[in-house]
Amino acid sequence: QLNMAKKKEAFLKEFKEGPLQFKPTYKFDLYSEVYDTSEKKRKPAWTDRILWKVKNLCEVASKEGKFPEEENLISVTLNNYVSHMNYGISDHKPVTGTFKLEMKPLVSDPLVMLSPEGEWSAEHDVFIRYSTVPEFPSSAWDWIGLFQVTFRHVNDYVTYAWVEDAEISSNKDSKQVYMSASEIPKMGGEFLLCYYSNNLQSVVGISEPFQV
């Protein structure tokens, strides 16, 4: 039924689905893996499905003159598509899909370049050197955060420094800021630095990973 509808309905034609490599997910007797034993004895069916579509941002951006039309800004790959037979509170079995999402940066070069200076440890204050492109809209509310390499959100910082308050030196090419030793994690590990722009509301520079 779904495949037939995809051929007829224009809004469904661009949606994709992974291969159905699991058993039909409907209709089950509650709290079991037994298909319908009621008087109706409904035929098993794949009623629980995951379809996806990537919005064509390239086409929209191209019309506005921002990006070349052929550039694919977003790529989606389905890693797995499975049902979960151990759930029994419904006559349906739930289905999940895991996707890999890749996004190309909207700018080819970072707006801010930054790196740690010297050896980093919790035994002394540490230093960061950064530089920005000439047109970068800096703000007194910009900050540099220390993150574990496995961080997933901008709020996952271990500590941070306001770029203006923590500045200790500056020249025409770059600026230097510090972080207090008391803020550096004693357990050490692999970390990286991120520059957050208040005006752009985004991370605009990330350092290479380094050891603390």
Side-chain angles (χ1 to χ4, degrees), residues 143-185:
W143 51 272
I144 295 174
L146 177 67
F147 295 80
Q148 292 183 307
V149 291
T150 54
F151 86 101
R152 301 181 67 178
H153 191 276
V154 69
N155 291 336
D156 293 342
Y157 55 80
V158 176
T159 185
Y160 66 91
W162 299 106
V163 293
E164 287 200 3
D165 291 348
E167 183 178 311
I168 56 175
S169 69
S170 175
N171 57 47
K172 65 177 183 178
D173 297 319
S174 65
K175 295 182 179 182
Q176 187 184 48
V177 299
Y178 81 97
M179 286 183 175
S180 172
S182 61
E183 302 293 331
I184 305 304

Side-chain angles (χ1 to χ4, degrees), residues 103-210:
M103 294 174 286
K104 288 187 177 181
L106 298 183
V107 291
S108 58
D109 297 314
L111 299 179
V112 176
M113 298 286 291
L114 71 165
S115 61
E117 291 195 317
E119 179 182 327
W120 277 51
S121 79
E123 297 179 358
H124 53 76
D125 292 348
V126 294
F127 304 97
I128 303 161
R129 177 74 59 178
Y130 76 92
S131 60
T132 66
V133 296
E135 67 274 16
F136 178 66
S138 61
S139 163
W141 297 104
D142 289 356
W143 51 272
I144 295 174
L146 177 67
F147 295 80
Q148 292 183 307
V149 291
T150 54
F151 86 101
R152 301 181 67 178
H153 191 276
V154 69
N155 291 336
D156 293 342
Y157 55 80
V158 176
T159 185
Y160 66 91
W162 299 106
V163 293
E164 287 200 3
D165 291 348
E167 183 178 311
I168 56 175
S169 69
S170 175
N171 57 47
K172 65 177 183 178
D173 297 319
S174 65
K175 295 182 179 182
Q176 187 184 48
V177 299
Y178 81 97
M179 286 183 175
S180 172
S182 61
E183 302 293 331
I184 305 304
K186 294 182 179 180
M187 77 287 190
E190 192 172 22
F191 294 82
L192 47 76
L193 298 165
C194 294
Y195 188 109
Y196 185 86
S197 166
N198 183 69
N199 286 330
L200 300 178
Q201 292 290 293
S202 176
V203 171
V204 294
I206 302 177
S207 75
E208 293 293 328
F210 62 95

